[in-house]
Amino acid sequence: MSEGAYWWFVGAEFALAAVTFVALQFIVAPYGGRHGRAGWGPTVPARVGWIVMEAPASLAFLAFYLLGSHRAELVPVLFLLLWQAHYVQRAFVYPFLMRSGSRMPVLVMLLAILFNLLNAWVNARWVSEYGDYHTSWLADPRFWLGVAVFVAGYALNLGSDRILRGLRRSGSGYRVPGGGGFRFVSSPNYLGEIVEWFGWAIATWSLAGLAFALYTTANLAPRAMANHRWYHETFADYPVERRALIPFVL
């Protein structure tokens, strides 16, 4: 594929971010759990769905990355490790920590697979082929700022998931989470993931990274708002000072 054709895929991801954001103003994606509902066709166990739909983000990224002429260079290898730190956990660790019994529509799983293949191609090809990351990039403040933002988001994402798992282990159905990022927002796990990929966009300083960060925001911000509404509708004593996604703001 030519570099010119590659940029069409980058543009497609920007367009998909816009379409996703608009669509999710009217539809709450039924990934399972509190938002699971009938009417979306056949379903699979949510654990299976998560593995199948997230695995391409790790495995396909690696395969596409290895096609690049810069695949053995230090900075692209560091980007590969950052990416895999998130997606190995998301595809092959997180699903086995989920609550058993919930289900996911096959349609949602298939749509996620298609996006993950597109996104893996766009970002892997950039960092290992079309990007130009000499070792001197390690001295650029954008690299270190981006990595610091990525790591901060990663820690918030994992810590928030750990708090939610603790609530599920205690039984008695859904409860109001507290501590960590939940002191400020209803979905700190989503906030952490958004922060991660803006960190990636800064560290790679690329349109590919920006497209992914914007898509992540377009996908997760409406879901955070839906979670926030659900908490207020379900728990009369839900903290009024807690925001949906951005502390003190939104």
Side-chain angles (χ1 to χ4, degrees):
M1 178 183 292
S2 68
E3 185 173 352
Y6 165 81
W7 289 111
W8 282 101
F9 284 95
V10 176
E13 187 159 339
F14 278 110
L16 187 58
V19 170
T20 297
F21 183 77
V22 172
L24 291 180
Q25 303 309 303
F26 305 97
I27 302 168
V28 178
Y31 281 89
R34 66 175 68 93
H35 298 303
R37 60 192 183 278
W40 285 74
T43 63
V44 295
R47 180 175 292 128
V48 173
W50 272 100
I51 295 171
V52 172
M53 75 182 188
E54 297 289 0
S58 172
L59 302 179
F61 184 94
L62 177 60
F64 298 150
Y65 175 91
L66 292 175
L67 296 174
S69 58
H70 304 301
R71 60 186 177 273
E73 296 176 11
L74 177 59
V75 176
V77 168
L78 292 176
F79 286 141
L80 171 65
L81 294 176
L82 280 181
W83 185 280
Q84 295 295 349
H86 176 89
Y87 275 112
V88 168
Q89 196 279 337
R90 183 59 58 184
F92 306 114
V93 178
Y94 172 77
F96 295 99
L97 302 174
M98 296 172 63
R99 177 174 54 189
S100 61
S102 60
R103 299 186 68 82
M104 175 188 297
V106 171
L107 177 61
V108 170
M109 181 184 74
L110 293 177
L111 291 174
I113 291 171
L114 291 176
F115 171 76
N116 282 331
L117 288 172
L118 168 66
N119 190 48
W121 172 262
V122 163
N123 280 277
R125 292 297 286 162
W126 175 259
V127 299
S128 75
E129 179 64 27
Y130 300 121
D132 187 15
Y133 297 109
H134 297 293
T135 306
S136 60
W137 188 246
L138 295 176
D140 193 297
R142 289 170 292 183
F143 175 80
W144 290 107
L145 174 62
V147 169
V149 171
F150 183 96
V151 171
Y154 184 77
L156 177 60
N157 182 260
L158 265 61
S160 302
D161 281 346
R162 190 177 303 114
I163 290 172
L164 291 174
R165 288 197 303 274
L167 290 180
R168 290 194 289 267
R169 283 196 297 267
S170 65
S172 69
Y174 287 105
R175 298 166 56 197
V176 176
F182 287 103
R183 292 174 295 172
F184 306 104
V185 296
S186 296
S187 296
N189 48 337
Y190 293 165
L191 174 60
E193 192 159 344
I194 291 169
V195 168
E196 275 185 75
W197 297 118
F198 272 101
W200 171 267
I202 296 168
T204 61
W205 205 249
S206 65
L207 286 176
L210 179 61
F212 185 24
L214 291 177
Y215 177 86
T216 302
T217 305
N219 184 32
L220 296 184
R223 289 166 59 184
M225 299 300 293
N227 283 350
H228 192 63
R229 288 192 299 270
W230 181 89
Y231 278 123
H232 276 285
E233 292 167 358
T234 306
F235 301 101
D237 60 345
Y238 194 71
V240 295
E241 71 279 3
R242 193 177 295 184
R243 296 292 184 255
L245 184 65
I246 304 175
F248 313 113
V249 177
L250 176 65

